[in-house]
Amino acid sequence: MTIKATLLASALIFSPLAATAADLTIGFSQIGSESGWRAAETTVTKQEAEARGINLKFADAQQKQENQISALRSFIAQGVDAILVAPVVATGWDEVLEEAQDSDIPVILLDRTVDAPDNLYLTAVTSDLVHEGSVAGQWLVDDVAGADCRIVELQGTTGSSPAIDRKAGFEKAIAGHENLEIVRSQTGDFTRSQGKVVMESFLKAEGGKNICALYAHNDDMAVGAIQAIKEAGLKPGEDIRIVAIDAVPDAHLAIANGEMNATIELTPNMAGPALDALAAYLADGTTPPKWIQTESRLYTAADDNQAIYETKKGLGY
Ligand code: AHR
């Protein structure tokens, strides 16, 4: 009998004995492997499930929402006890979330939010995506100290909540600072390869000497852009300031090497808090808050980035 059936059989009276993590089968719909951070989240999620004795069914959506919706429907048909989903884009989830709810399968969002009524999911484990953008913008405001600065922006996947919110947060932070202006903004789809390609086009269109700073919605795009800046004969981190988000090991290394200036940490461990909340919910009906917020921390050249790189590179990235 699955945990869900056990709970229903007990007339929805939650019994601590009814749900032990070791009995759980959980479906995880992952976006894909577009970035180092994403790969780490996949690794950590598998580790967190294994540590709890959970049977995790993993589905890689290859960046396509339709694949995620199919995976969710397959998990529902299999009668899993719960579903974890990292939603590639924010819209278009209502119907499948209703189907999960009709089947009494709790859904937990990982790292990205959706534009759907919050009664359709149990909780969302994410960072404050707007705040991350604001921290990046404020870092730049402080770093240029009033000097004029023409900024180029590499956006994340179009329609994804981090692309929308990180853009909004950054714009809010630089608003009112007449010396700062975003002169180019385009998606690099959160990938290293597109970060490089789009940065090359920014450099060509603007002329490298006319770009003061790059704001990238993730580190992988920044690392790709660093390559483009070097190939254009400029010094990343000096000629062009670079601030991004994730704090993956390669970003710490780039900061240690003086080729990048700042990054904001996003923990790849969304699954730990998610599975803890799920265990409590299934054990005795404890309802988690709708938003379980993970921490965001700014790293700059003031930190020991070489040491952080050495520590982090073994952690699933
Ligand atoms: O949703 C989190 C974002 O998705 C990460 O910042 C990025 O690296 C990933 O692809």
Side-chain angles (χ1 to χ4, degrees), residues 31 33-38 41 63 86-87 110-113 127 129 132 157 160-163 166 189-191 217-220 245-246 248 266 270:
I31 291 168
S33 51
E34 72 280 3
S35 64
W37 184 90
R38 182 68 53 198
E41 187 193 46
Q63 311 297 316
L110 296 189
D111 74 83
R112 297 186 183 183
T113 56
S127 57
L129 297 158
E132 289 168 343
T157 301
S160 69
S161 65
R166 287 172 181 170
D189 220 5
F190 281 131
T191 68
H217 291 189
N218 81 344
D219 287 339
D220 275 67
I245 295 164
D246 279 354
V248 297
L266 178 69
M270 303 278 159

Side-chain angles (χ1 to χ4, degrees), residues 28 30 161:
F28 175 31
Q30 178 58 292
S161 65

Side-chain angles (χ1 to χ4, degrees), residues 1 5 7-8 13 41 43 60 87 93 154 171-172 181 187 202-203 216 239 252 264 269 277 291:
M1 188 184 265
L7 290 172
L8 290 174
I13 298 169
E41 187 193 46
T43 302
D60 179 338
W93 295 99
L154 283 168
E171 286 175 351
K172 196 171 141 208
E181 182 192 2
T187 182
F202 287 162
L203 290 162
D239 295 327
H252 288 291
I264 295 127
N269 188 4
W291 182 22

Side-chain angles (χ1 to χ4, degrees), residues 129-147:
L129 297 158
V130 175
H131 176 67
E132 289 168 343
S134 295
V135 172
Q138 190 58 50
W139 174 82
L140 190 59
V141 167
D142 295 342
D143 200 61
V144 300

Side-chain angles (χ1 to χ4, degrees), residues 63-134:
Q63 311 297 316
K64 291 194 170 71
Q65 185 183 32
E66 71 232 44
N67 291 347
Q68 292 205 284
I69 291 173
S70 296
L72 261 58
R73 290 200 167 120
S74 165
F75 293 147
I76 294 166
Q78 292 170 61
V80 296
D81 296 300
I83 293 172
L84 305 178
V85 55
V88 60
V89 291
T91 57
W93 295 99
D94 297 48
E95 199 177 325
V96 73
L97 291 178
E98 279 164 16
E99 290 167 26
Q101 191 168 68
D102 289 347
S103 298
D104 295 313
I105 297 174
V107 174
I108 299 183
L109 310 179
L110 296 189
D111 74 83
R112 297 186 183 183
T113 56
V114 295
D115 293 339
D118 68 7
N119 66 312
L120 292 179
Y121 55 87
L122 183 64
T123 184
V125 184
T126 77
S127 57
D128 184 334
L129 297 158
V130 175
H131 176 67
E132 289 168 343
S134 295

